[in-house]
Amino acid sequence: MSDLSRTPHPHAGTCTKCRTIPAGPPTAGVLYLCPPVDELVDPLHRALVGTGLPVKNPNPDMWAVEYASGELDGLATVLSTALKGPELAGIQGMILPSGRQPTTRDYMSTRPLENLLSEVQCRWLGDVLRHSRLETHFQPIVPTAEPDDVFAYECLIRGRGENGNLIPPGELFKAARTADLLFQLDRQARLTAIRAAVEHRITSRLFLNFNPSSIYTPSACLRTTFQAVEEAGITPEQITFEVVESEEISDTSHLLGILQVYREAGFGVALDDVGAGYSSLNLLTRLRPDYVKLDMGLTRGVDSDPYKARVALKLLEMARDLGVRTVVEGVETINEWEWAKENGADYVQGYLFARPAAVPPMPKRIQMAIVGV
């Protein structure tokens, strides 16, 4: 067992970006906009007039529109519809609270209008994070030959809206990228998963997802995660950190640095979506993870598609030659599971065994059903 206190992270500085959740635009305020060229003056003025809100011209190079509580969403919708992409990217602006006069620093901190509108449209995510409305759903990863057992649970994040509606992970991360909240979401997702695992007294291995682009200095960004693991009484050997969205990784050296920190602390490492493209294959040979998860696009119909079967089989053989354990994910049919079993996959995961749930589910008794018991 590794002693987390001996690794560099407890003594490193804390990642302030990961911890800080921006307050977002004021409920009532003023939107100031500056068209960079004369050709954008008329389109911008027409769009602002179309909002139906009072429009002012505080100086020759700037327009201002004041909005009251409840009017910001409508303002953002009208502008994003009335103006074209290049116009939204070119016009610079800022949002200030009502009654506050712009300062020189404010003028120097203007941003493209498209960024301001994205922040407005995605501010619900900041509310989710500030009020800790994330929750973890668990999906079992089972041994291929004995699918009644649980080898591990993958921790999958979900959100809750103000009205209690469930927000899927794709929507959460799309908004996080748009609103520049990926660091905060990724960190809070990890901490939420650790707390949920303790609450449900999970003793099997845990697969925790992380996005490498949300970690810029591992010793700082991962400090709170490692401390949470230690305080929860979970051993590092029980946790595998799973690299997600490997197709978007451009800085392999940065990823290697992150994984080195994980490994030095005793954690396992998994690579997701292997087979989705060349990038993930290249990462497999460079990273040498403990586990690889075959992309579910390969799993779908692998038993009846010779092309998919050939590619998937070669990936399983490559992983085995490298001493890497394999997980075939996205298994939904008995035939897909049987293919994985016949071709040497170590573990399987998918709806055939259990759907993700807030209470860690036990896998269905698939094997017993087949033999008719």
Side-chain angles (χ1 to χ4, degrees):
M1 181 188 305
S2 296
D3 184 354
L4 293 182
S5 64
R6 293 179 182 174
T7 59
H9 45 80
H11 307 291
T14 301
C15 175
T16 55
K17 182 175 178 64
C18 298
R19 285 175 169 269
T20 304
I21 302 171
T27 303
V30 182
L31 172 63
Y32 294 91
L33 296 173
C34 304
V37 293
D38 292 341
E39 288 77 8
L40 290 181
V41 172
D42 288 341
L44 175 58
H45 183 250
R46 285 195 299 269
L48 291 175
V49 170
T51 67
L53 299 174
V55 179
K56 298 180 181 179
N57 196 197
N59 66 58
D61 299 319
M62 177 177 288
W63 295 99
V65 56
E66 187 166 3
Y67 63 89
S69 178
E71 295 178 334
L72 184 55
D73 286 331
L75 170 61
T77 299
V78 171
L79 292 179
S80 61
T81 302
L83 295 169
K84 301 175 182 178
E87 296 168 340
L88 293 169
I91 296 170
Q92 296 290 308
M94 57 187 168
I95 301 178
L96 300 178
S98 296
R100 174 181 155 184
Q101 294 301 311
T103 65
T104 301
R105 180 174 294 180
D106 292 326
Y107 286 121
M108 295 179 67
S109 302
T110 59
R111 294 184 291 154
L113 177 57
E114 63 179 353
N115 290 3
L116 293 174
L117 297 181
S118 295
E119 182 179 297
V120 170
Q121 293 163 344
C122 296
R123 71 183 188 281
W124 59 266
L125 177 58
D127 187 61
V128 168
L129 296 176
R130 278 189 294 274
H131 293 89
S132 300
R133 292 206 305 270
L134 293 180
E135 60 185 57
T136 301
H137 285 203
F138 299 92
Q139 186 175 34
I141 298 171
V142 302
T144 307
E146 300 178 13
D148 296 341
D149 296 332
V150 175
F151 166 70
Y153 281 102
E154 181 176 0
C155 302
L156 302 165
I157 202 64
R158 303 288 189 269
R160 288 285 176 185
E162 279 188 309
N163 59 359
N165 60 301
L166 195 66
I167 305 172
E171 191 173 336
L172 289 171
F173 282 96
K174 180 180 178 181
R177 293 186 191 90
T178 300
D180 192 23
L181 289 172
L182 187 59
F183 293 87
Q184 295 88 338
L185 175 60
D186 208 55
R187 170 183 174 274
Q188 198 169 123
R190 293 192 298 269
L191 298 181
T192 300
I194 293 166
R195 287 193 294 267
V198 172
E199 177 185 349
H200 293 291
R201 299 180 181 180
I202 296 176
T203 57
S204 61
R205 181 173 289 273
L206 300 168
F207 276 58
L208 301 183
N209 295 321
F210 81 98
N211 190 316
S213 61
S214 70
I215 299 170
Y216 52 85
T217 305
S219 59
C221 293
L222 299 177
R223 184 183 182 193
T224 54
T225 300
F226 288 180
Q227 287 179 332
V229 170
E230 192 169 20
E231 291 169 2
I234 300 174
T235 64
E237 292 80 2
Q238 188 180 343
I239 292 181
T240 294
F241 285 99
E242 181 175 331
V243 182
V244 297
E245 300 193 4
S246 57
E247 284 302 292
E248 297 183 7
I249 296 170
S250 58
D251 189 347
T252 307
S253 297
H254 175 62
L255 176 57
L256 284 168
I258 296 172
L259 299 188
Q260 182 180 355
V261 172
Y262 280 139
R263 283 174 166 143
E264 288 178 350
F267 298 102
V269 173
L271 183 60
D272 195 16
D273 297 334
V274 172
Y278 171 76
S279 175
S280 60
L281 293 178
N282 186 43
L283 287 174
L284 172 59
T285 58
R286 290 198 63 186
L287 303 182
R288 302 292 180 91
D290 301 294
Y291 305 88
V292 295
K293 302 182 77 174
L294 266 64
D295 179 67
M296 64 177 60
L298 279 177
T299 304
R300 295 286 186 272
V302 67
D303 56 290
S304 58
D305 187 324
Y307 177 79
K308 284 186 177 182
R310 187 174 182 83
V311 173
L313 180 58
K314 290 300 180 184
L315 290 173
L316 291 175
E317 291 175 350
M318 183 190 304
R320 191 159 46 244
D321 290 343
L322 293 171
V324 178
R325 284 165 285 182
T326 53
V327 181
V328 175
E329 59 179 348
V331 176
E332 294 189 352
T333 69
I334 290 177
N335 288 339
E336 291 168 355
W337 165 59
E338 289 183 325
W339 184 93
K341 182 171 61 170
E342 291 169 4
N343 287 281
D346 296 301
Y347 307 101
V348 283
Q349 177 183 0
Y351 287 178
L352 178 65
F353 311 103
R355 291 176 176 267
V359 176
M362 291 298 295
K364 303 172 187 174
R365 297 182 63 81
I366 303 300
Q367 198 169 27
M368 299 300 287
I370 292 174
V371 299
V373 178

